[in-house]
């Protein structure tokens, strides 16, 4: 097998725009404060909305009394479930009401909504709503929820324990038979926290209903205009043709704005009040009402032969999906599917449960189930290397999937560049030198170096694009894709520029609007650059054909002699003086022959069907798996042996991005992802006590600040161009978060010998691990 | 509800006469009364720095500031940072370095950096990190932001 991807020829961009770190066109309005986010918008007569959260983690609703709230001057609408259609929504399991109906299932769950002339009045009105509850016993963690006599959170949907939302089993090979052939077996239980997105802009929606036509307009902070349109239609029993969704600037999302946030309830308030309503969550309401990453407990056992061939792995994953399934079934699917890691392990047995508990729902978050299983897998592989007396990178290299090999379930790895990433990471981090001689440090502190290999997926599901030529030869590109700050508008405009040989000034990239944009599923799953970029190149190719057809008539040369030249010019190959401009061609098409130049393209990423002859599969919800991408992340840490505090000093993040369309933007994704992973590793954790969130604030929940992270986070972009992404580009957005935590925990182990199987690695946990590590040594004297 | 109070604020050099409820914060006044929405509300609790403004040249969290105390003080918001349509060097550096992602933190970061450079024209990377200690950026991981700001003072 080759040690490197053999890139097939991929299209080459015209001109210089692709591959340049051009500044993002929207950066200027963001540094001047002129950028408009949803909460900056005002409509005439606009009211302010607010939601009342449940005071109990699990309780039956006996009666509402909203009369005092309705009587408060300035209040225009008060809603409870009794005022809404009896509809439950959810991407996989329809289990979520807009406002709790019949019972509440987590503390903070919205139970009532108010619209009033200003926010202070709306908040006062919430205090005047009386709801009588009958408190029910609550299931506050996975163990409690799985007891035979556990409180039942949702009406049972079939066989099995009623609190199991999803159960998956994947088996390949004959794991039970090969353990005896393993020379080293590592077995452990790993725990990861409910990390929260903490996008800096809380969820917000501005909704208006036209009093004459009933047509609904929504401005909202979301990752997907089209899913908001569909979910709102479903929740309020309105046809999608009556709903328009527009997306102003989005202040971060990271998966938290993939499903509906507060859009449907804001529309319901606007309808009830007969006036536009803006509902912007307070930080605390956002934290206790929206969603988090799934907390997980993972049992994992891995065995290898003396020469470092990993033979078998057994995995048991419990994801805590909270009170509602949300994207939990898909998260469980990705988690199961990635729990073998980016390795060839012939014998695998994976079982996964997504479990309801009486806590905040868990859903999509950058990495989507994969950071949890990579945490377990990458720590376990390091321990395996220790047991075998082998270098951790060497063990990973021996087992890294190569091009042409199969993922768990049988999907082909088309561009297996993990080896290249690992080798590059070894080189740029000066791995061997630093591992053998950790750099010196002050007394009481120890330094160490750790690595994680990463396999993730990009692409997924459907996108479309329309490209049309203006009369002057400039181009309009519409896609429906939402730029949540990652820079897709810029990168995608660069794709169109590169496909047609234009400058960025000659491209107008239109903003998402369900009235005018072609469909895009969502900015999520590391798919936008790949999938939307693909449809843009396809549409541009059709535009090029139309241009050439007319240019052939104008220049009196056959189409096959024509070429694109930078700047919006079609020329004749070998005749430098002979050319015509896009503007001239457009005029010809508009007024002489052919009609306007326009093209559209659509694509559904072809999902690989699991090969059931190879893999025994139970319960895997259908999922459009995508194109595999690889990375390797190395972290150097310093551990304070007195306080247990861990500082990350330096990091090297090697990512195969296929082709870096905008290297600065890609590097920013890599660094930002790493730092979210650093927070996951060291500080971030939602904490509950008796079913109530203890830390729903940015003082209680610590995301990394500038002083908590090194400046030296080195992004290293490998460009193994391959596949249907634009000019061979692969996705990168989520990947940076996936390996950071295990790289850091492996570095702590290297520095101190401490074994941590749980994150975040707070000072207290690190100290306990240090004591446990040193205890036997003390005993021996 | 408490009685409203009248006050006069000097914002970006211009006088504003206002009548507001005494519990309204400077952030409320900027965003809602004056419709100067460039100052962002990330937490309303002093934890994120998105609402940073400068008062007499020093960074202040407007979500924790009561305007009644600020009469006669020189309040600068993000809207007052450009001069004559020209970006401030910090703004230009953030754009050029590709440091801007969602941008929600940027108003606060620009003002915190401007205050730093006013008292320390050539800060080290570490001095920049310290100056940004109260400003959360959830997107960038800080590296490019810190490098961009340090580059203004001539440090790499
Ligand atoms: S809004 Fe003022 S510090 Fe967050
Ligand atoms: S760019 Fe999004 S928070 Fe800083």
């Amino acid at each position: 097998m080759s040690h490197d991807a053999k890139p097939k020829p991929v299209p080459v961009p015209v001109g210089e725009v692709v591959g340049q770190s051009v500044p993002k066109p929207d950066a200027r309005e963001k540094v001047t404060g002129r950028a408009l986010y949803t909460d900056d918008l005002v409509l005439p007569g606009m009211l302010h909305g607010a939601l009342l959260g449940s005071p109990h983690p699990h309780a039956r609703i006996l009666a509402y009394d909203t009369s005092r709230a309705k009587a408060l001057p300035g209040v225009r609408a008060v809603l409870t479930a009794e005022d809404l259609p009896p509809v439950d929504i959810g991407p996989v399991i329809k289990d979520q009401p807009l406002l709790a109906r019949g019972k509440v299932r987590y503390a903070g769950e919205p139970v009532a909504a108010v619209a009033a002339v200003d926010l202070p009045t709306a908040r006062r009105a919430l205090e005047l709503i009386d709801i009588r509850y009958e408190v029910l016993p609550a299931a506050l963690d996975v163990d409690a929820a799985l007891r035979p006599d556990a409180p039942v959170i949702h009406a049972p949907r079939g066989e099995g324990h009623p609190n199991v939302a999803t159960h998956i089993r994947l088996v390949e090979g004959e794991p039970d038979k090969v353990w005896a052939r393993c020379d080293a077996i590592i077995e452990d239980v790993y725990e990861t926290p409910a990390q929260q997105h903490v996008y800096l802009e809380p969820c917000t929606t501005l909704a208006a209903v036209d009093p004459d036509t009933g047509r609904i307009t929504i401005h909202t902070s979301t990752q997907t205009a089209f899913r908001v349109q569909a979910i709102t239609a479903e929740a309020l029993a309105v046809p999608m043709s009556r709903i328009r969704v527009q997306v102003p600037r989005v202040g971060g999302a990271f998966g938290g704005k993939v499903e509906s946030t507060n859009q449907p309830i804001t529309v319901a308030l606007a309808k009830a009040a007969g006036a536009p309503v803006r509902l912007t969550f307070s930080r605390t309401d956002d934290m206790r009402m929206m969603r988090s990453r799934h907390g997980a407990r993972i049992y994992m056992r891995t065995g290898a032969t003396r020469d470092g061939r990993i033979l078998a792995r057994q995995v048991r994953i419990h994801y805590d999906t909270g009170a509602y399934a949300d994207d939990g079934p898909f998260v469980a699917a990705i988690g199961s599917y990635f729990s073998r890691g980016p390795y060839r392990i012939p014998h695998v047995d994976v079982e996964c449960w997504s479990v309801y508990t009486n806590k905040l729902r868990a859903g999509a978050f950058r990495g989507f189930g994969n950071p949890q299983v990579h945490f377990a897998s990458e720590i376990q592989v390091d321990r395996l290397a220790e047991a075998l007396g082998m270098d951790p990178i060497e063990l990973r290299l021996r087992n890294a999937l190569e091009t042409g090999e199969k993922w768990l379930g049988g999907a082909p790895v088309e561009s297996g560049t993990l080896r290249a990433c690992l080798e590059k990471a070894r080189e740029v981090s000066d791995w061997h030198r630093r591992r053998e001689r950790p750099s010196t440090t002050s007394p009481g502190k120890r330094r160490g170096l750790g690595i994680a290999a990463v396999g993730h997926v990009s692409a997924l599901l459907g996108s479309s694009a329309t490209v049309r030529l203006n009369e002057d030869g400039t181009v309009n590109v519409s896609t429906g894709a939402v730029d949540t700050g990652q820079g897709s508008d810029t990168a995608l405009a660069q794709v169109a520029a590169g496909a047609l040989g234009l400058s960025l000034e000659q491209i107008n990239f239109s903003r998402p609007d369900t009235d005018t944009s072609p469909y895009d599923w969502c900015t999520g799953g590391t798919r936008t650059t790949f999938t939307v970029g693909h449809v843009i190149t396809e549409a541009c190719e059709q535009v090029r054909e139309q241009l050439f057809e007319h240019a052939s008539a104008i220049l009196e040369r056959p189409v096959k002699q024509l070429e694109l030249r930078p700047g919006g010019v079609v020329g004749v190959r070998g005749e430098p003086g002979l050319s015509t401009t896009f503007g001239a061609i457009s005029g010809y098409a508009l007024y002489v022959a052919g009609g306007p130049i326009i093209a559209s393209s659509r694509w559904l990423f072809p999902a690989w069907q699991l090969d059931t002859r190879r893999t025994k599969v139970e319960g895997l919800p259908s999922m459009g798996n995508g194109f595999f991408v690889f990375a390797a992340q190395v972290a150097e840490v310093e551990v304070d042996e007195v306080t247990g505090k861990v500082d990350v000093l330096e990091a090297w993040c090697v990512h195969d991005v296929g082709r870096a369309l905008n290297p600065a933007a890609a590097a920013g994704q890599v660094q930002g992802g790493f730092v979210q992973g650093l927070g996951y590793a060291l500080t971030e954790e939602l904490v509950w006590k008796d079913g109530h969130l203890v830390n729903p604030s940015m003082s209680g929940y610590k995301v990394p600040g500038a002083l908590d992270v090194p400046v030296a986070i080195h992004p290293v972009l490998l460009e193994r161009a391959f596949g249907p992404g634009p000019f061979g580009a692969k996705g990168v957005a989520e990947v940076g978060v996936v390996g950071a935590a295990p790289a850091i925990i492996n570095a702590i182990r290297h520095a101190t010998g401490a074994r941590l199987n749980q994150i975040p690695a707070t000072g207290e946990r690190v100290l306990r691990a240090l004591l446990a590590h040193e205890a036997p040594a003390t005993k021996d004297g | 509800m408490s009685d409203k109070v009248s006050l006069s604020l000097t914002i970006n050099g211009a006088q504003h006469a206002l009548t507001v409820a005494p519990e309204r914060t400077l952030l409320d006044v900027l965003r809602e009364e004056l419709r100067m929405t460039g100052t962002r509300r990330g937490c309303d609790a002093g934890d994120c720095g998105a609402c940073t403004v400068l008062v007499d040249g020093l960074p202040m969290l407007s979500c924790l500031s009561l305007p009644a105390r600020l009469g006669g003080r020189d309040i600068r918001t993000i809207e007052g940072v450009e001069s004559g349509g020209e970006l401030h060097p910090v703004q230009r550096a953030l754009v050029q370095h590709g440091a801007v992602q969602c941008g929600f933190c940027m108003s606060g970061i620009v003002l915190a950096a401007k205050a730093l450079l006013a008292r320390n024209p050539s800060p080290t990377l570490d001095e920049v990190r310290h100056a940004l200690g109260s400003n959360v950026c959830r997107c960038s991981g800080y590296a490019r932001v810190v490098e961009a700001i340090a580059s203004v003072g001539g440090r790499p």
Side-chain angles (χ1 to χ4, degrees):
Chain A
M1 194 139 310
S2 94
H3 279 187
D4 218 333
K6 280 194 231 88
K8 266 195 222 154
V10 290
V12 177
V14 182
E16 303 293 319
V17 178
V18 169
Q20 299 287 329
S21 292
V22 294
K24 298 173 190 167
D26 57 335
R28 205 182 150 102
E29 66 173 43
K30 288 173 174 173
V31 297
T32 58
R34 278 193 290 271
L36 291 175
Y37 300 83
T38 300
D39 191 57
D40 303 331
L41 307 180
V42 174
L43 289 173
M46 186 184 86
L47 304 172
H48 296 260
L51 302 185
L52 181 67
S54 157
H56 306 294
H58 201 193
R60 208 181 311 285
I61 299 171
L62 300 178
Y64 301 99
D65 180 355
T66 57
S67 56
R68 290 197 303 148
K70 283 180 174 151
L72 185 72
V75 171
R76 295 294 150 76
V78 180
L79 299 179
T80 68
E82 292 178 339
D83 306 299
L84 299 171
V87 174
D88 288 335
I89 59 170
V92 184
I93 301 171
K94 305 286 178 196
D95 61 4
Q96 309 184 41
L98 291 192
L99 294 172
R101 185 177 344 104
K103 67 176 187 171
V104 291
R105 296 182 174 88
Y106 68 94
E109 176 170 7
V111 281
V114 168
V117 290
D118 56 31
L119 198 52
T121 306
R123 291 196 174 137
R124 253 191 317 279
L126 295 180
E127 291 166 16
L128 299 177
I129 295 172
D130 293 313
I131 303 179
R132 279 202 300 122
Y133 296 96
E134 176 197 338
V135 173
L136 300 170
L140 298 178
D141 59 42
V142 164
D143 287 333
L146 290 180
R147 280 194 202 109
D149 60 346
V152 174
I153 297 171
H154 290 275
R157 290 172 302 118
E159 285 159 30
H161 196 294
N163 288 337
V164 173
T166 314
H167 174 245
I168 295 168
R169 185 94 189 263
L170 292 173
V171 182
E172 279 186 9
E174 298 183 303
D176 289 342
K177 300 206 177 141
V178 295
W179 294 107
R181 286 172 27 213
C182 295
D183 298 306
I185 295 174
I186 305 289
E187 174 178 32
D188 257 318
V189 176
Y190 304 88
E191 287 181 72
T192 63
Q195 182 185 28
Q196 202 161 44
H197 311 77
V198 199
Y199 28 68
L200 206 53
E201 176 208 30
C203 289
T204 171
T205 298
L206 168 60
V209 183
D210 186 294
D212 299 316
T213 63
R215 201 164 140 77
I216 296 162
T217 305
I218 301 171
H219 293 84
T220 189
S221 181
T222 179
Q223 295 171 242
T224 161
F226 290 90
R227 291 289 303 144
V228 167
Q229 185 190 28
I231 294 166
T232 305
E234 179 185 9
L236 300 176
V238 180
M240 284 172 73
S241 55
R242 312 309 298 154
I243 301 173
R244 176 183 194 178
V245 180
Q246 291 171 284
V247 186
R249 292 296 174 209
V250 175
F254 317 117
K257 298 172 182 173
V258 163
E259 298 300 335
S260 67
T261 60
N262 53 20
Q263 297 99 3
I265 193 63
T266 308
V267 172
L269 282 171
K271 277 184 141 182
V277 173
R278 191 178 72 205
L279 199 167
T280 301
F281 278 137
S282 69
R283 175 60 59 185
T284 293
D285 279 352
D286 193 290
M287 293 185 79
R288 66 199 191 112
M289 291 179 176
M290 287 288 91
R291 45 179 64 80
S292 72
R293 191 190 293 291
H294 286 73
R297 192 180 57 210
I298 301 168
Y299 163 86
M300 188 176 277
R301 176 160 69 139
T302 308
T305 58
R306 207 177 316 271
D307 59 349
R309 273 182 304 124
I310 305 180
L311 279 189
R313 172 170 283 184
Q314 185 184 19
V315 192
R316 297 290 179 261
I317 310 167
H318 287 92
Y319 285 118
D320 183 343
T321 204
Y324 294 102
D326 204 56
D327 277 317
F330 289 142
V331 166
I334 290 280
S336 305
Y337 192 56
F338 278 79
S339 63
R340 192 183 67 166
Y343 303 116
R344 91 178 65 75
I345 307 179
H347 305 277
V348 181
D349 176 354
V350 181
E351 196 163 8
C352 176
W353 297 261
S354 189
V355 181
Y356 286 125
T357 59
N358 289 115
K359 292 193 296 196
L360 178 67
R361 76 177 68 67
F365 190 159
R366 198 178 199 171
F368 209 81
N370 201 11
Q372 293 92 327
V373 294
H374 262 70
F375 176 73
S377 173
E378 287 303 301
I379 289 178
Q380 190 145 89
V381 167
D382 249 43
R383 305 264 157 84
L384 204 51
E386 264 175 50
L388 294 166
M390 198 176 277
D391 175 76
I393 293 184
E394 188 52 39
L395 179 61
R396 285 172 171 88
L397 285 171
R398 285 193 194 180
N399 295 281
L401 283 171
E402 307 274 2
T403 300
E405 291 191 283
K406 305 273 197 248
W407 202 263
L408 176 60
V413 173
E414 295 174 72
S415 184
T417 54
L418 178 58
R419 169 176 299 277
C421 292
L422 285 165
E423 287 172 346
K424 189 74 182 171
R426 181 165 63 188
E427 172 200 326
V428 293
S429 67
D430 198 4
W431 173 262
H432 287 304
R433 195 189 54 76
R434 285 182 202 248
R435 281 284 287 194
E436 277 147 34
R437 272 182 293 117
S439 47
T440 46
T441 176
S442 37
K445 299 200 172 176
R446 300 232 210 129
R447 290 187 178 183
L449 199 65
I451 188 161
V454 178
H456 197 64
V457 73
S458 68
L460 306 179
L461 296 175
S463 291
S464 51
T466 304
V467 175
R468 59 194 164 85
L469 204 61
N470 296 317
E471 189 162 345
D472 67 351
T474 60
V475 160
N476 267 51
V477 180
S478 312
T479 68
V482 177
D483 189 335
T484 58
Q486 84 280 27
S488 58
D489 282 3
T490 314
L492 294 173
Q494 288 177 270
V495 167
L500 291 171
L502 296 171
S503 68
L504 281 179
E505 292 67 44
Q506 292 171 296
I507 305 273
N508 173 48
F509 195 84
S510 66
R511 305 277 298 278
D513 177 342
T514 56
D515 266 14
T516 55
S517 306
Y519 177 88
D520 181 49
W521 170 59
C522 179
T523 296
T526 310
R527 67 182 292 282
T528 300
T529 298
F530 193 102
T531 316
V532 183
H534 172 78
V535 290
I536 290 174
T537 54
E538 297 281 300
C540 286
E541 177 56 18
Q542 295 175 43
V543 164
R544 188 195 58 76
E545 284 170 9
Q546 295 175 40
L547 284 163
F548 278 21
E549 197 183 303
H550 294 309
S552 165
I554 296 169
L555 298 170
E556 300 176 335
R557 289 289 186 284
V559 164
K560 60 178 191 315
Q561 285 180 19
L562 302 179
E563 64 182 6
L564 282 177
R565 292 183 189 160
V569 175
V570 178
V572 180
R573 221 173 292 127
E575 295 185 62
L578 197 52
S579 66
T580 182
T581 64
F582 283 16
I585 299 171
S586 189
Y588 180 89
L590 287 175
Y591 299 109
V592 181
I597 294 182
I598 181 167
S600 64
S601 171
R602 61 205 155 81
W603 195 38
L604 178 67
F605 187 90
W608 174 261
Q609 298 303 317
L610 293 189
D611 179 352
T612 49
R613 284 161 314 179
R614 167 194 171 103
T615 316
K616 284 206 259 330
V617 183
E618 281 170 43
L620 193 72
S622 84
M623 42 168 285
N625 62 295
F627 191 90
F628 297 107
V629 289
F630 300 94
Q633 295 176 293
V634 175
E636 186 180 34
V637 304
E638 181 173 83
V639 183
D640 185 320
E641 293 177 298
V642 179
T643 64
K645 184 167 186 304
V646 177
D647 282 313
V648 178
L649 303 176
E650 197 162 354
W652 298 264
C653 305
V654 181
H655 292 253
D656 173 23
V657 300
R659 181 188 286 273
L661 302 169
N662 183 322
Q669 287 296 295
V670 166
Q671 293 170 317
F674 179 83
V675 169
Q676 281 182 355
L678 183 154
Y680 189 47
L682 298 179
T683 59
E684 296 186 38
E685 177 173 34
L686 288 178
V687 179
W688 285 266
K689 186 160 187 296
D690 304 327
H692 294 266
L693 253 187
V694 175
N695 56 345
S697 72
M698 290 178 71
S699 53
Y701 180 98
K702 180 81 176 89
V703 303
L707 289 170
D708 305 316
V709 305
V711 176
I713 302 168
H714 310 289
V716 181
L717 306 178
L718 297 188
E719 297 190 86
R720 306 297 163 112
F722 188 87
F727 309 114
K730 303 164 183 170
V732 69
E734 294 179 288
V735 189
V737 81
V738 176
I744 289 167
I745 299 303
N746 286 339
I748 296 172
R749 165 79 165 175
H750 179 234
T752 64
R755 277 168 65 125
L756 283 149
N757 292 336
Q758 185 179 7
I759 45 172
T762 56
E764 192 190 323
R765 284 192 185 128
V766 172
L767 281 184
R768 251 188 283 128
L770 281 170
L771 287 175
H773 173 67
E774 276 154 18
T778 318
K779 223 185 292 159
D780 297 345
Chain B
M1 213 197 301
S2 33
D3 289 336
K4 296 197 167 186
V5 293
S6 297
L7 46 92
S8 162
L9 296 177
T10 312
I11 302 170
N12 301 329
Q15 295 288 322
H16 295 267
L18 295 153
T19 307
V20 296
E23 67 274 11
R24 302 287 268 173
T25 63
L26 177 59
L27 180 59
D28 295 333
V29 168
L30 289 171
R31 289 187 57 82
E32 282 149 44
E33 314 283 336
L34 299 174
R35 306 273 326 121
M36 296 170 70
T37 54
T39 309
R40 314 294 182 192
R41 192 191 304 271
C43 70
D44 224 12
D47 299 325
C48 77
C51 67
T52 303
V53 298
L54 300 184
V55 175
D56 295 337
L58 294 179
M60 186 178 261
L61 299 173
S62 63
C63 71
L64 297 183
S65 309
L66 292 178
R69 307 244 175 94
L70 297 172
R73 313 277 295 272
D74 174 25
I75 302 168
R76 296 272 155 183
T77 69
I78 189 67
E79 286 87 355
V81 174
E82 283 165 288
S83 63
E86 285 285 301
L87 295 183
H88 185 276
V90 162
Q91 293 173 312
R92 205 159 43 232
L94 289 164
V95 171
Q96 289 301 333
H97 278 73
V100 183
Q101 293 193 27
C102 84
F104 208 75
C105 62
M106 280 295 151
S107 301
I109 285 179
V110 166
L111 289 163
K114 183 175 183 286
L116 167 70
L117 289 160
R119 64 170 194 278
N120 176 0
S122 189
T124 62
L125 291 174
D126 240 22
E127 287 165 342
V128 174
R129 287 168 76 218
H130 278 87
L132 296 185
S134 306
N135 294 84
V136 171
C137 175
R138 187 56 157 165
C139 301
S140 70
Y142 303 99
R144 307 185 98 70
V145 173
V146 171
E147 285 164 354
I149 295 167
S151 76
V152 174
R155 305 264 180 157

